[in-house]
Amino acid sequence: MNEANVAPPSTHRGRGVAALIAVLLLLAIAAVAWRWWSQRQAQEQAQSMETAQQIDALDQRLDSVRRDQRTLTQRVQDAAATNRVLRDEVLGLGQRGALLEESVAKLSDPSRHGAQALRLDEVELLLSLAQQRLLIADDLEGARRAYALAAGALDGIDDHRLLNLKQVLQQERQALDALGPGPRAQLEKQLDAFALSLDGLPTRTPAASQAASGSAWQRWLAPLVQVRASRDAAFVSPTDRGAGEAALRIEVSLAHAALERDDRAGFDAALTRMDHWLLRLWPDSPDLRQGRAQLAALRKLPLRAESPVLGSTLQQLRSLRNAGVASRPLPSTTNPAVPPPVETPEQTP
């Protein structure tokens, strides 16, 4: 063997040591890297856990904030509702204050003091009662008594400013007297007269009138056979005629009831049914035509008293008082029994 190609043993040992050192360095570096990587993973895992905990805490806090927000929203709504209620109460207090001011102004008005103001209040009340009696019950007699009392109370006030009012009241009383008992009383009276006239209607056409109005053969057969139209008497039997007459009496009662409740349509319908029963129960005769003419006349009559003058006195009196025509105390009345008004600081009307 050549001595030049054979390395000395010290060289092989140096290379082995170097390789060993390199391997150890690599192992040390790997160990350091593994430890660093493990620490980094532990740090990242700890940081992830901490981040998750922070997110959970933030979620809880956000839920708490949302609950607080809902609570605040509810409180704001409650406060808005309370403010609306308070605003309505303030508006109501303002209206009450305005009414109180108006009442105080009326109380401080000198025209509402004394016996004259009481007389005017009495006149207005009586005129209102008269108008209500006319509008609600169509009671002309009650309205006349109320107007008479109002005229007596108004005559007790001696003031030239009420002269036109007295004249209007006199005209209204004259218009009311001209109506007489009233349309309703007149209609009830005519209905009663019509009901009484039903007993005198002939149930059959007289033979003489049939013979005169019929043909030659009807006149020849008149002594033996009576010929008449079927429409002259639909109910021939006594039972049917009694039922028809009872139905007619019921229609008369229905017409009276329609008059009492001021039902024009019901009244006209009852008159139409009464005319129908007349044609079915009785043959044609002058008395029947007269009864139908009475029903036709009843249809044309009004059910209530109508006059443009009625109610004008009350309207004029209210216009005078609202316009403040009697802004000064009225002179003393002509009635010596009524004392003159006494001015006091606070005197109710």
Side-chain angles (χ1 to χ4, degrees):
M1 180 179 298
N2 192 0
E3 295 179 359
N5 292 330
V6 177
S10 59
T11 304
H12 290 290
R13 287 194 297 269
R15 289 179 180 177
V17 171
L20 181 60
I21 292 172
V23 171
L24 291 174
L25 287 175
L26 290 174
L27 290 175
I29 292 172
V32 171
W34 172 260
R35 185 177 181 182
W36 176 82
W37 182 80
S38 299
Q39 291 178 355
R40 182 67 178 269
Q41 289 294 326
Q43 290 178 358
E44 289 180 357
Q45 186 176 2
Q47 188 175 2
S48 299
M49 294 178 61
E50 184 180 359
T51 304
Q53 292 177 358
Q54 291 178 357
I55 291 174
D56 292 339
L58 288 175
D59 290 339
Q60 293 178 1
R61 187 172 183 181
L62 183 59
D63 293 338
S64 177
V65 170
R66 288 176 179 174
R67 288 194 299 270
D68 294 340
Q69 184 180 3
R70 287 195 294 267
T71 304
L72 291 175
T73 303
Q74 185 66 31
R75 290 181 179 179
V76 169
Q77 292 178 356
D78 295 341
T82 305
N83 290 333
R84 286 194 297 269
V85 173
L86 291 176
R87 182 178 59 186
D88 294 339
E89 291 181 356
V90 170
L91 292 177
L93 291 176
Q95 294 177 356
R96 291 181 181 179
L99 293 176
L100 289 175
E101 290 179 359
E102 184 179 357
S103 300
V104 171
K106 289 182 179 179
L107 290 175
S108 62
D109 187 4
S111 63
R112 300 186 63 85
H113 294 306
Q116 293 87 352
L118 293 177
R119 286 294 184 90
L120 290 178
D121 292 338
E122 181 183 0
V123 171
E124 184 176 359
L125 177 60
L126 291 172
L127 293 177
S128 300
L129 290 176
Q131 188 175 13
Q132 290 173 3
R133 296 298 300 175
L134 290 175
L135 294 178
I136 298 176
D138 196 21
D139 184 8
L140 273 70
E141 188 62 30
R144 289 191 185 96
R145 290 194 293 268
Y147 276 120
L149 294 174
L154 192 60
D155 290 339
I157 304 175
D158 187 11
D159 190 279
H160 64 279
R161 293 171 295 181
L162 302 177
L163 181 60
N164 293 332
L165 187 65
K166 294 178 181 180
Q167 293 179 353
V168 173
L169 179 58
Q170 184 64 27
Q171 293 175 1
E172 191 170 355
R173 292 184 64 188
Q174 292 177 358
L176 191 61
D177 292 337
L179 294 175
R184 180 179 298 178
Q186 184 178 1
L187 287 173
E188 290 180 352
K189 184 177 180 181
Q190 292 183 7
L191 275 177
D192 294 336
F194 171 77
L196 292 176
S197 66
L198 296 177
D199 298 333
L201 292 177
T203 58
R204 296 181 180 274
T205 305
S209 60
Q210 289 183 356
S213 60
S215 59
W217 66 272
Q218 287 179 347
R219 290 195 298 270
W220 293 340
L221 295 177
L224 301 176
V225 179
Q226 183 178 3
V227 181
R228 56 185 175 82
S230 60
R231 64 177 178 84
D232 290 343
F235 295 121
V236 179
S237 64
T239 304
D240 294 339
R241 174 169 293 279
E245 291 180 358
L248 181 57
R249 301 289 181 182
I250 292 174
E251 295 298 338
V252 174
S253 301
L254 291 177
H256 279 290
L259 281 178
E260 291 296 331
R261 63 176 183 270
D262 196 16
D263 185 6
R264 184 73 203 189
F267 182 72
D268 292 340
L271 292 181
T272 302
R273 293 191 295 267
M274 289 163 62
D275 185 72
H276 177 69
W277 283 113
L278 285 178
L279 292 176
R280 296 186 64 184
L281 291 173
W282 286 277
D284 188 16
S285 64
D287 294 335
L288 179 66
R289 289 192 293 269
Q290 184 179 1
R292 297 188 64 193
Q294 291 178 359
L295 294 179
L298 289 176
R299 288 192 182 94
K300 299 178 181 179
L301 294 177
L303 299 185
R304 300 182 64 89
E306 298 179 356
S307 177
V309 183
L310 298 178
S312 57
T313 307
L314 179 61
Q315 183 178 1
Q316 184 173 356
L317 176 60
R318 289 175 176 174
S319 300
L320 289 174
R321 303 193 75 178
N322 292 333
V325 173
S327 59
R328 298 184 303 275
L330 299 176
S332 60
T333 60
T334 57
N335 189 358
V338 179
V342 179
E343 296 293 338
T344 58
E346 294 183 357
Q347 184 176 1
T348 58

